[in-house]
Amino acid sequence: MPSSPPETRASLILRLQNADDVAAWDEFVELYGPVIFRAARARGFQPADGDDVVQEVLLAVAQSIGKWLERRDRGRFRAWLLRIARHESINLLTRRATRPLGDDGEAEWRKLQELPDVDAVSSLIDLEYDRAVFQWAADRVRTSVATNTWQAFWLTHVEGLSIEEAAREMKTRSANIHFGRSRVMARIRELVKQYEEYND
Amino acid sequence: MIKKTNACDDRQLVAILGSDVDADELDAIAVHVETCSYCQTRLQELAASNDDWNRAGAILSAAGAITEADGRYSGDEIPKCSRWVGRHVEWNESMVRQLLEPPSHPEMLGRLGRYEIERLIGSGGMGIVFKAYDTELNRVVAIKLLAPYLAGWGAARQRFAREARSAAGVVDDHVVPIYNVDSEHETPYLVMQYVAGGSLQEKLDRQGPLDVPDILRIGLQTAKGLAAAHHQGLIHRDVKPCNILLDEGIERALLTDFGLARTEDDACLTRTGFQPGTPHYMSPEQVRGESIDGRSDLFSLGCVMYALCTGRPPFRADSGYAVLRRITDDVPRPIREINPAIPDWLEQIVMKLLEKDRAQRFSSAEDVANVLSQWLAHVQQPHVVPAPVMTKPVGIDQSWNKNRWVKYLVGAAAGLLIVIAGIVVVLEAGKGTIRIESDVDDVPIRITQGDALVDTLTVTKAGKSVRVAAGQYVVEIGGDIDGISVAGGTVTLNRRDEKVVRLVQSRQANLVTGSNPDLPKAPSGLQGVILEVAANKKLVEVSVGSNDGIRKGTALHVFARNTLLGRLEVVEVQADKSVARIVQQNPGRPMRPGDHFATHTDEQLFPNQTGRTSWPQLIDGVGTNPASIQVKFAGPQGLRVSCETSRAAAEPIICPGRLNLAAGTTHELYLSEVPELPGAEFHASIELQQVTDEARAYVNHNAVPIEFAKEEFENALAGEMVTKVIYLPDPKNTEQAIAGAQSMVISRLAPGVNPITEADRQGTILAVVRLGNRVPISASENGPGYDNDAPDRQSLAYAARQFNSMTANERRELFDPPIPDLTVEQLRNGFRQSAKLYQQRGKHEVADALLKIAESGRLPDDARSGLIGSGVHATDDAGQTISRQIVPALVLPDSSVASGNSLVVLRPLELIYRKDGPVSKHYGEPFDAQELEAGEKDSAAGKRSSGSDFLNIASVSDNEIKLVGNASRPMEVVLSILANPDNPLEWKTSVAGTFFAEFSKSDQIRLDGGGTAKGATFTVKQGNVGGTNFLVFDGNPIPAGDIKIIDPRDSGGDDAVPLVSDVWKATRNIAQIQRDGEKPIPISIALREQVAAEGDQ
């Protein structure tokens, strides 16, 4: 029986001597779990199977950490994590397509006929990863700015209100909408950039 | 029309993006932006590229949709990955200017109320410290301002206020006084005395190690400050050089920063897990999150003094995490090795402060202050003030290896025939001090005058000083201690004189044959036989003598079939034969005439060994010092590997499946817990990792595989433990041993041979790996791996003791308060209970064995293991505890399975703690016999189930629900699908024991009630996977979406025993998902008393 996540984490903590690496793992799981899950869903997996895929990828990654530790030329743990996770996800999502896990037997049978397209899966993963980072950054910004600032951005850019409509709804002057939405956007972009640099 | 005007200014727009100021405060530019579409567009462009804007829109609007569909990873959840951005902020003057009101004088930085801020002194995690001038009282002060980003955080404000309260309560010359507090200010601050000389850390950085008088003075004054705080019941908790300020000119050290200080009874706050700043000066109990008292500060003071002596803190590593490890596990490098200028007694004082066990430290800060002041007086006026006498033996474990060695030596010597009893020293002493120094620990000494006994004492390596009056004294070594002699012979002591008597280890007793070049070199590879064993079983006559090169003291190793039976030391030599004493032997297989022996060489000693694995210096220049060991293995069921670290300095041994060996402890991993590999080949590979003192990255380039051969496996299964030891040959000094390129030796030892001693004879031990099917020799009783008394290992008393010591850490760490020791009576009941369960499962062989154990109070001879236990703490993604368990188990023979062995888990002893709900009654109660009996009575009376019953959902998927459980007597499992609360769909089945229910294919259930779950059909059946019984409801899938499991407590079922668990949430994520436009379908499962259930129907 494969180890459960808490055990995996515990053994990782013991093996990764660097606390920063442990933190990297935790962040990775939080961020990358949804990536794998969404990619799996996009490939037609049921939610429960999507969970399995997530578990399997994380487990595979966890098991490879030993190999990483043995490498003399190992680079940064974060960068390695992302590489191996991407690889494992693609691997699993393409391999799993040959197993009957779909919504119903026939759909799965149809899928069997189509050879899994590695390129499609890998770009799906990349897309989902970008999305996760972006989503993460947005969440951080949302909690770090005043509600009105966030709303200025959300109403105009996500819900599609015009500047004036948003200003009316929020009972504020339009300059605050202009300022707020751009402040939010600038910070999201900045965080995404930081994140990418930090994980390179 | 978009047009750029003179009023358009990119710089202003960029500034707007970087600030959070409301438009009203930026009126001019706000008005401009509101009307200038160029600036509106420009603002957008400066914020992010068009691509990014588009991406943001797409991703964020899509996020909502996906959230609804999947119900998790939702856009509303904030991912908790804040760690990587939470970096420490360095404050600079221009930043802090913004926090202050404008200054009254241009040369000042700013103003805070009545205080003119002159400059920034420093900043830390919590706050910013300024030098300031109090305009009302005309004095210079220091102001500590809570960092603004923390000011909005309640806990930080509280902590800040607490600091003020705590520090203000302590009035002492050596505590920085607090003048004023403003906790109402937007950013709270406190005003303190300004101490001009800077911090001790700065001094340390500037000049490195200090002089002895300075060390004593600063140590003394800090101890006094601590004593004052402790007197108030306050523990400082963060004693470190940064928090000790030095008053310029008048040589005064003052303790500051009571930010972490807590009162001793403030127990709940000591466990917050908040680990502030530098961990280098934390005490082991702080690191472990245990309750602390004033002696924790003493440890930190010891760290500070160590740093003053050597210029660096005692525990260093490349990460804070590794530092913490070292604090709990490592003995710091001896001070005098780093700085020989430090006197021995000062090192002793510091090392006493650094004792891991707080009981071994000084008992109070006052005591420390007293000792330090006496020494300070002596150091300042050596001719006037005599050196203080160390009244208590100072136990220093600075050289683990040597201590071990000496203990062994003393132990072995007890059995000697040739006893050099009572080496007598006659002293003509005036009034003065005799200082007795010793190479070895624990030498009993008797001082007599004429016929009168003056004193008896035990001398350790720390030495002893004795004040004696004029007269003739006889100093004897008390007891039968072999191999100790006195250097210097007769000593004449003058008044006020100090004379040193040294107790040295004589060579004859030194058994370190390989490592001491002075020893008579025994011919390598010489073999012989034992001719005769003396009636007293202590001496043997052997077939080799001086003609063969044998000398007094030569070590001989006795074998039978390539395993070591024991060890001899030659005590008397003739030309063609010798007499040797038995140093060690396997109690189960005494030596007898005809046994072969060989002189000590590795090849001779371990002829079948895998040999040496070289340990090369690494190309990248990083050393090869092994400081940690990993053991990896996999193998067939029912076997055990145990590993031991022997060096106190070693990092824990780590094995998959949470085997974590701290120095000096023994843990075990049962192989049934690791995935079985094809072919069941057993491998253990040992990896040695290094954490160097120089904060280099760890390396693990060195892997030493330990292979266990097939026959060794068979031996292990047959009950003969196979022990292999890895060590670095030769150097006795650990530091030396790990300093250079080394070769490692892996040896297989005979049963009963203490691997620690063995390796110690040969070099520096690194690890012991054992393969066997019995509980190993206890680490808790006679030191790792050695077992003098051979306790009755079959007894339940032993098993309980073993289990308790094995699980001590887990019980302490996983449960709060810790689960108490398991008693024999509980254990007996546990076996009795388990016997029933296995009986019900049809495992009669196992059941009989268990019953027999309960009745006889002994484990059977053919038990494949002792009582074993492991602890698990499972948490969900959010870090919430799901369960904590200590699971006792035993491997018993079971002919019904292929491996012939079964891992028997003692169910009633299983401790499952869930964070809420009635089941948490198991918490802290390993096994309550009364409850069990009460449960049985209740059962007869048809009442509720007993504590050992449980029902868990093992997994949920679209087409099956797996349940696992236990019922101590016949009960019902009820599955209810509450599509319609008024008319729930229920299926019941009788169960007893660990699930063994009688559902059959005919239990087909159509889920068409309540108009929700249309047309789904379940079949309930039983199954068994991996030894776990479960119930499966399978058939057509439940309509799309997950199932919410509702706790029957919530659904109001009266007699439903609320045992629904979400244990598996961590892995299976049983979230509530709605089917299209419909309500979620709750399902409840419950164990019910059968009587009650029948009454219902």
Side-chain angles (χ1 to χ4, degrees):
Chain A
M1 215 169 75
S3 313
S4 68
E7 284 166 349
T8 304
R9 185 175 183 279
S11 73
L12 274 176
I13 287 177
L14 293 171
R15 289 165 67 195
L16 293 170
Q17 304 254 322
N18 194 331
D20 196 46
D21 288 346
V22 177
W25 168 263
D26 291 346
E27 288 159 20
F28 160 78
V29 170
E30 268 182 76
L31 195 101
Y32 218 86
V35 169
I36 306 164
F37 183 81
R38 283 168 188 276
R41 288 290 282 150
R43 294 292 293 173
F45 283 67
Q46 281 286 298
D49 298 326
D51 279 340
D52 281 350
V53 177
V54 174
Q55 290 300 329
E56 278 187 48
V57 171
L58 296 186
L59 200 67
V61 173
Q63 281 163 351
S64 316
I65 284 176
K67 282 185 209 140
W68 177 75
L69 285 169
E70 281 159 19
R71 276 169 50 179
R72 204 172 290 189
D73 60 338
R74 60 181 193 266
R76 295 192 57 220
F77 185 56
R78 291 166 181 283
W80 173 84
L81 268 182
L82 291 175
R83 276 202 311 278
I84 185 108
R86 181 175 181 277
H87 176 81
E88 289 291 348
S89 309
I90 294 169
N91 203 5
L92 257 164
L93 287 174
T94 49
R95 184 156 54 82
R96 273 299 196 88
T98 62
R99 286 163 54 175
L101 289 166
D103 292 9
D104 61 79
E106 281 183 29
E108 197 48 47
W109 186 245
R110 281 196 299 278
K111 250 178 229 153
L112 257 181
Q113 314 305 308
E114 312 160 6
L115 274 177
D117 182 354
V118 175
D119 286 344
V121 172
S122 65
S123 57
L124 181 65
I125 295 274
D126 294 345
L127 187 76
E128 289 296 346
Y129 177 67
D130 279 355
R131 178 210 287 277
V133 172
F134 209 90
Q135 177 76 49
W136 167 86
D139 285 334
R140 282 201 61 77
V141 171
R142 191 186 55 184
T143 53
S144 69
V145 298
T147 317
N148 282 346
T149 311
W150 178 260
Q151 282 296 99
F153 169 78
W154 187 262
L155 291 180
T156 57
H157 198 61
V158 179
E159 304 207 341
L161 268 57
S162 72
I163 303 280
E164 288 69 29
E165 284 166 343
R168 262 200 305 283
E169 173 146 352
M170 290 170 56
K171 301 188 176 57
T172 186
R173 58 191 289 183
S174 65
N176 271 333
I177 307 293
H178 283 295
F179 293 173
R181 66 196 297 272
S182 288
R183 280 170 178 159
V184 168
M185 191 59 222
R187 284 162 209 196
I188 291 177
R189 189 207 54 182
E190 185 55 30
L191 268 180
V192 169
K193 200 169 132 230
Q194 269 184 38
Y195 185 91
E196 279 164 358
E197 279 166 7
Y198 196 70
N199 284 283
D200 260 351
Chain B
M1 188 122 126
I2 296 171
K3 204 165 65 182
K4 189 179 176 183
T5 71
N6 286 341
C8 300
D9 183 354
D10 269 8
R11 282 172 307 175
Q12 281 192 321
L13 297 178
V14 169
I16 286 171
L17 288 177
S19 75
D20 279 313
V21 184
D22 191 84
D24 288 346
E25 291 177 34
L26 303 162
D27 201 42
I29 180 76
V31 169
H32 173 74
V33 170
E34 278 170 348
T35 52
C36 170
S37 43
Y38 172 82
C39 278
Q40 290 170 6
T41 314
R42 194 64 193 133
L43 190 62
Q44 201 166 313
E45 284 168 8
L46 288 170
S49 68
N50 260 340
D51 270 3
D52 281 338
W53 278 100
N54 291 340
R55 226 153 54 123
I59 288 175
L60 295 175
S61 47
I66 287 199
T67 298
E68 253 170 56
D70 294 343
R72 73 206 99 176
Y73 307 129
S74 89
D76 291 334
E77 273 174 40
I78 301 129
K80 294 162 205 69
C81 32
S82 53
R83 256 169 287 200
W84 69 276
V85 283
R87 301 278 171 249
H88 176 63
V89 184
E90 277 296 342
W91 290 88
N92 59 38
E93 297 208 339
S94 67
M95 289 159 78
V96 299
R97 239 180 247 278
Q98 299 169 1
L99 304 171
L100 306 169
E101 298 149 45
S104 321
H105 303 288
E107 69 270 24
M108 292 292 190
L109 199 59
R111 202 162 44 80
L112 201 60
R114 71 187 210 218
Y115 304 97
E116 286 289 348
I117 308 293
E118 187 186 314
R119 64 182 168 86
L120 181 70
I121 301 175
S123 68
M126 287 289 286
I128 313 155
V129 184
F130 302 102
K131 182 185 180 185
Y133 189 74
D134 183 341
T135 51
E136 277 179 28
L137 294 172
N138 290 333
R139 60 179 175 187
V140 180
V141 296
I143 290 187
K144 186 172 178 181
L145 188 72
L146 182 63
Y149 68 95
L150 293 173
W153 181 32
R157 287 187 85 107
Q158 270 171 28
R159 190 181 137 186
F160 201 76
R162 191 170 54 235
E163 161 167 16
R165 271 202 308 280
S166 309
V170 184
V171 180
D172 187 84
D173 281 352
H174 300 291
V175 173
V176 177
I178 303 287
Y179 294 149
N180 190 14
V181 185
D182 188 343
S183 51
E184 301 306 310
H185 193 264
E186 187 184 352
T187 44
Y189 60 89
L190 58 92
V191 185
M192 301 175 282
Q193 180 190 324
Y194 176 73
V195 182
S199 78
L200 182 56
Q201 184 67 53
E202 287 160 26
K203 188 182 173 77
L204 208 49
D205 291 344
R206 241 181 358 251
Q207 69 182 72
L210 308 188
D211 296 339
V212 171
D214 278 344
I215 297 169
L216 287 172
R217 184 177 54 78
I218 292 170
L220 164 62
Q221 296 177 343
T222 309
K224 281 183 173 172
L226 284 175
H230 293 173
H231 200 66
Q232 301 280 320
L234 207 66
I235 307 160
H236 187 284
R237 299 176 89 245
D238 198 17
V239 179
K240 57 187 181 191
C242 316
N243 287 339
I244 296 169
L245 303 184
L246 301 173
D247 213 352
E248 221 163 35
I250 60 166
E251 298 205 327
R252 189 157 65 115
L254 296 95
L255 200 52
T256 187
D257 198 350
F258 280 73
L260 292 177
R262 307 267 158 86
T263 54
E264 287 187 49
D265 46 53
D266 208 356
C268 61
L269 288 172
T270 60
R271 293 175 195 247
T272 51
F274 177 59
Q275 287 177 355
T278 324
H280 289 97
Y281 298 88
M282 285 171 85
S283 69
E285 55 266 36
Q286 266 177 304
V287 170
R288 288 191 293 257
E290 295 168 3
S291 70
I292 60 170
D293 57 24
R295 288 172 292 182
S296 167
D297 284 345
L298 296 189
F299 185 92
S300 304
L301 174 61
C303 293
V304 170
M305 290 185 68
Y306 185 101
L308 298 183
C309 290
T310 62
R312 57 204 201 200
F315 305 101
R316 298 193 301 162
D318 59 333
S319 71
Y321 174 74
V323 169
L324 299 184
R325 271 268 164 82
R326 299 201 61 187
I327 288 172
T328 56
D329 300 348
D330 276 13
V331 175
R333 203 172 146 198
I335 292 174
R336 278 150 57 83
E337 257 176 44
I338 305 168
N339 182 1
I342 300 298
D344 190 32
W345 51 264
L346 179 53
E347 170 162 22
Q348 286 174 38
I349 293 171
V350 175
M351 296 313 263
K352 187 170 168 68
L353 288 166
L354 289 177
E355 282 286 347
K356 307 285 184 215
D357 175 6
R358 57 189 173 193
Q360 300 293 314
R361 296 175 206 149
F362 290 90
S363 55
S364 71
E366 260 161 338
D367 279 7
V368 181
N370 283 338
V371 169
L372 293 177
S373 68
Q374 284 173 34
W375 279 106
L376 183 61
H378 171 70
V379 167
Q380 284 169 338
Q381 293 179 296
H383 301 296
V384 180
V385 184
V389 178
M390 290 273 192
T391 48
K392 289 176 217 156
V394 180
I396 301 178
D397 197 18
Q398 60 183 0
S399 170
W400 185 89
N401 231 23
K402 279 183 201 151
N403 280 357
R404 269 313 152 103
W405 162 245
V406 169
K407 271 175 200 145
Y408 164 68
L409 177 76
V410 172
L416 282 190
L417 290 185
I418 306 139
V419 173
I420 312 162
I423 297 164
V424 177
V425 190
V426 180
L427 299 168
E428 288 285 340
K431 220 171 199 172
T433 307
I434 303 171
R435 176 150 179 83
I436 304 167
E437 291 179 356
S438 177
D439 279 352
V440 294
D441 266 323
D442 303 331
V443 182
I445 294 289
R446 205 165 43 227
I447 302 173
T448 52
Q449 188 175 33
D451 289 333
L453 181 70
V454 177
D455 204 357
T456 56
L457 55 147
T458 303
V459 180
T460 65
K461 274 187 291 194
K464 268 281 161 68
S465 292
V466 189
R467 297 278 293 167
V468 285
Q472 197 178 41
Y473 288 88
V474 177
V475 178
E476 289 174 289
I477 294 174
D480 297 345
I481 300 295
D482 180 29
I484 311 286
S485 61
V486 179
T490 308
V491 177
T492 309
L493 196 71
N494 295 322
R495 194 178 170 80
R496 290 234 158 165
D497 208 349
E498 180 176 340
K499 279 287 164 68
V500 175
V501 175
R502 281 194 70 79
L503 307 173
V504 295
Q505 224 173 298
S506 61
R507 281 180 190 162
Q508 284 85 344
N510 191 335
L511 302 175
V512 190
T513 52
S515 60
N516 192 333
D518 297 341
L519 283 180
K521 191 81 181 164
S524 168
L526 182 66
Q527 296 194 33
V529 291
I530 293 177
L531 301 173
E532 222 177 303
V533 178
N536 60 18
K537 310 280 187 215
K538 288 175 180 170
L539 289 180
V540 298
E541 194 175 65
V542 296
S543 66
V544 289
S546 57
N547 289 348
D548 305 299
I550 294 295
R551 306 273 185 279
K552 223 168 153 180
T554 302
L556 305 173
H557 304 272
V558 184
F559 298 97
R561 286 184 305 149
N562 299 333
T563 56
L564 192 62
L565 285 181
R567 199 178 313 284
L568 304 171
E569 185 199 3
V570 175
V571 293
E572 201 179 307
V573 188
Q574 294 170 20
D576 59 349
K577 59 183 183 180
S578 311
V579 177
R581 67 180 182 90
I582 297 173
V583 178
Q584 261 186 325
Q585 70 178 333
N586 179 359
R589 164 69 170 84
M591 292 179 198
R592 39 187 192 233
D595 283 344
H596 288 259
F597 61 80
T599 48
H600 171 198
T601 65
D602 295 325
E603 291 73 24
Q604 287 295 326
L605 184 51
F606 306 111
N608 270 9
Q609 269 325 298
T610 43
R612 288 162 189 258
T613 305
S614 76
W615 184 296
Q617 199 75 31
L618 301 172
I619 302 161
D620 55 14
V622 184
T624 57
N625 307 359
S628 74
I629 297 166
Q630 282 190 356
V631 182
K632 294 176 180 170
F633 39 74
Q637 276 206 328
L639 283 178
R640 180 200 61 243
V641 169
S642 77
C643 327
E644 289 177 12
T645 52
S646 61
R647 292 182 49 226
E651 288 281 306
I653 288 187
I654 293 149
C655 297
R658 75 191 170 264
L659 185 63
N660 172 10
L661 297 186
T665 61
T666 303
H667 284 235
E668 296 170 67
L669 182 72
Y670 281 77
L671 294 172
S672 54
E673 293 177 5
V674 299
E676 279 192 51
L677 295 183
E681 192 93 355
F682 183 86
H683 291 282
S685 89
I686 307 259
E687 284 180 10
L688 297 143
Q689 298 187 338
Q690 172 192 42
V691 180
T692 72
D693 217 2
E694 302 310 315
R696 275 190 225 134
Y698 55 92
V699 291
N700 61 348
H701 304 226
N702 306 296
V704 181
I706 291 195
E707 301 287 339
F708 286 99
K710 192 161 173 270
E711 63 173 79
E712 290 172 314
F713 253 84
E714 287 162 5
N715 287 347
L717 275 170
E720 188 183 330
M721 173 133 47
V722 179
T723 302
K724 296 193 177 192
V725 58
I726 305 173
Y727 59 90
L728 300 172
D730 297 346
K732 296 306 294 175
N733 180 315
T734 310
E735 295 289 331
Q736 260 178 38
I738 63 177
Q742 296 291 337
S743 62
M744 254 191 337
V745 179
I746 305 163
S747 297
R748 177 173 164 185
L749 302 181
V753 174
N754 178 357
I756 306 288
T757 318
E758 174 55 34
D760 202 64
R761 291 171 63 87
Q762 315 213 16
T764 301
I765 187 163
L766 298 173
V768 177
V769 177
R770 286 188 178 135
L771 178 66
N773 67 356
R774 289 289 159 92
V775 168
I777 299 162
S778 167
S780 62
E781 289 170 34
N782 298 300
Y786 199 48
D787 187 3
N788 292 315
D789 303 330
D792 181 0
R793 301 232 189 91
Q794 244 91 295
S795 73
L796 282 192
Y798 183 85
R801 215 160 52 237
Q802 193 68 32
F803 179 83
N804 288 333
S805 86
M806 210 181 313
T807 58
N809 283 337
E810 280 110 339
R811 286 183 294 132
R812 194 170 54 239
E813 283 161 17
L814 294 183
F815 296 89
D816 179 21
I819 292 177
D821 279 359
L822 188 63
T823 66
V824 175
E825 207 36 47
Q826 287 170 338
L827 198 50
R828 234 178 231 267
N829 279 321
F831 279 107
R832 212 169 278 142
Q833 179 69 12
S834 296
K836 286 186 198 164
L837 303 183
Y838 279 88
Q839 197 73 44
Q840 283 156 353
R841 286 170 63 171
K843 295 247 182 190
H844 301 293
E845 187 184 351
V846 172
D848 290 349
L850 289 171
L851 209 56
K852 210 169 158 195
I853 295 171
E855 270 148 26
S856 67
R858 297 174 59 77
L859 301 183
D861 292 339
D862 58 352
R864 297 284 191 244
S865 79
L867 190 65
I868 54 175
S870 58
V872 185
H873 179 198
T875 55
D876 63 16
D877 295 340
Q880 284 290 312
T881 293
I882 292 163
S883 73
R884 298 162 192 269
Q885 303 179 45
I886 303 279
V887 187
L890 181 70
V891 182
L892 289 175
D894 181 359
S895 55
S896 68
V897 295
S899 68
N901 300 315
S902 263
L903 184 73
V904 178
V905 176
L906 301 190
R907 286 281 178 207
L909 294 170
E910 186 169 27
L911 304 168
I912 299 177
Y913 164 59
R914 297 181 197 95
K915 55 186 180 290
D916 51 52
V919 277
S920 67
K921 71 186 172 188
H922 292 278
Y923 163 59
E925 298 170 14
F927 180 70
D928 190 332
Q930 283 182 341
E931 187 187 353
L932 179 71
E933 278 162 24
E936 280 169 357
K937 280 179 207 143
D938 285 351
S939 170
K943 287 184 189 161
R944 296 172 81 88
S945 68
S946 85
S948 63
D949 300 328
F950 68 93
L951 175 62
N952 286 342
I953 293 170
S955 67
V956 175
S957 71
D958 293 317
N959 51 15
E960 66 178 25
I961 302 168
K962 291 184 185 178
L963 305 176
V964 61
N966 175 59
S968 54
R969 57 199 171 278
M971 293 173 82
E972 273 185 337
V973 169
V974 182
L975 172 87
S976 320
I977 296 192
L978 306 171
N980 175 0
D982 299 328
N983 184 21
L985 297 164
E986 284 196 347
W987 298 273
K988 300 174 185 176
T989 186
S990 294
V991 293
T994 302
F995 266 150
F996 205 65
E998 295 299 326
F999 285 101
S1000 73
K1001 284 278 184 192
S1002 61
D1003 291 324
Q1004 276 212 345
I1005 298 153
R1006 276 190 67 80
L1007 286 185
D1008 51 6
T1012 47
K1014 295 180 204 75
T1017 307
F1018 278 81
T1019 301
V1020 184
K1021 65 181 184 186
Q1022 69 183 67
N1024 181 303
V1025 167
T1028 304
N1029 290 304
F1030 58 83
L1031 302 180
V1032 183
F1033 298 79
D1034 77 359
N1036 295 334
I1038 289 176
D1042 286 357
I1043 297 156
K1044 185 185 183 191
I1045 304 302
I1046 285 198
D1047 190 318
R1049 282 168 292 178
D1050 300 332
S1051 65
D1054 287 345
D1055 47 1
V1057 181
L1059 287 160
V1060 172
S1061 149
D1062 57 355
V1063 166
W1064 289 86
K1065 245 185 179 166
T1067 49
R1068 292 294 310 189
N1069 201 356
I1070 308 163
Q1072 171 179 340
I1073 293 281
Q1074 282 176 259
R1075 291 174 54 239
D1076 302 333
E1078 288 175 1
K1079 285 186 180 172
I1081 307 164
I1083 290 187
S1084 82
I1085 57 167
L1087 262 185
R1088 289 185 192 172
E1089 288 301 328
Q1090 203 161 29
V1091 181
E1094 277 164 5
D1096 282 349
Q1097 284 192 331

